[in-house]
């Protein structure tokens, strides 16, 4: 499974960005897709995940400003980010998994893409 993320960049505080990630390759039975991020000097953390049926799981600190969505026909997952803050600055990683337990995605997924950098200036 290959995951190609795009949409990162530099944005001012209060602005919005939309990340996109498309899966290709052996994508049969991929159920979970999601986003993680790693701020500078910090650990990797879950942002949000979504099942093939549209069930979502968000990190508590991000659920009011971020929206995850998915286009199964295009094998693509999106992360719409609003009201961005400097502390949202991070490398954002797309991930996918064939598992069914969305509650367990905090520990990671089986397939990872290269990250896309989001920088929020104050």
């Amino acid at each position: 499974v290959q995951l190609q993320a795009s949409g990162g960049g530099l944005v001012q505080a209060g602005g919005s960005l939309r990340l996109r990630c498309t899966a290709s390759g052996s994508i049969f039975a991929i159920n979970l897709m999601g986003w993680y991020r790693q701020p500078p000097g910090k650990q990797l953390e879950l942002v949000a995940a979504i099942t093939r049926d549209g069930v979502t799981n968000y990190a508590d600190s991000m659920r009011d400003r971020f929206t995850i969505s998915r286009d199964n026909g295009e094998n693509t997952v999106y992360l719409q980010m609003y009201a961005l803050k400097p502390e949202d600055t991070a490398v954002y990683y797309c991930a996918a998994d064939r598992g069914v337990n969305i509650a367990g995605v905090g520990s990671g997924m089986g397939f990872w893409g290269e990250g896309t950098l989001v920088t929020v200036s104050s």
Side-chain angles (χ1 to χ4, degrees):
V1 176
Q2 291 80 48
L3 300 168
Q4 182 65 50
S6 61
L10 175 64
V11 62
Q12 288 189 332
S16 300
L17 272 180
R18 188 192 197 202
L19 304 183
R20 171 191 173 114
C21 174
T22 299
S24 62
S26 299
I27 58 175
F28 64 93
I30 288 293
N31 177 44
L32 301 169
M33 296 188 76
W35 294 93
Y36 296 75
R37 71 182 187 183
Q38 186 166 24
K42 296 185 179 180
Q43 291 186 329
L44 190 69
E45 60 182 352
L46 171 71
V47 176
I50 186 169
T51 70
R52 191 168 187 85
D53 293 334
V55 177
T56 58
N57 183 0
Y58 289 90
D60 289 340
S61 62
M62 289 172 256
R63 66 173 62 247
D64 59 340
R65 296 185 296 117
F66 292 1
T67 300
I68 191 169
S69 61
R70 180 169 175 170
D71 182 337
N72 291 326
E74 297 293 328
N75 300 308
T76 297
V77 63
Y78 301 92
L79 183 69
Q80 179 68 55
M81 303 183 290
Y82 303 95
L84 284 161
K85 305 174 182 179
E87 51 263 44
D88 294 317
T89 294
V91 178
Y92 285 71
Y93 295 92
C94 175
D97 201 282
R98 296 192 174 104
V100 299
N101 183 17
I102 195 170
V105 296
S107 59
M109 295 190 190
F111 303 103
W112 294 84
E114 293 187 2
T116 185
L117 177 62
V118 172
T119 303
V120 184
S121 63
S122 57

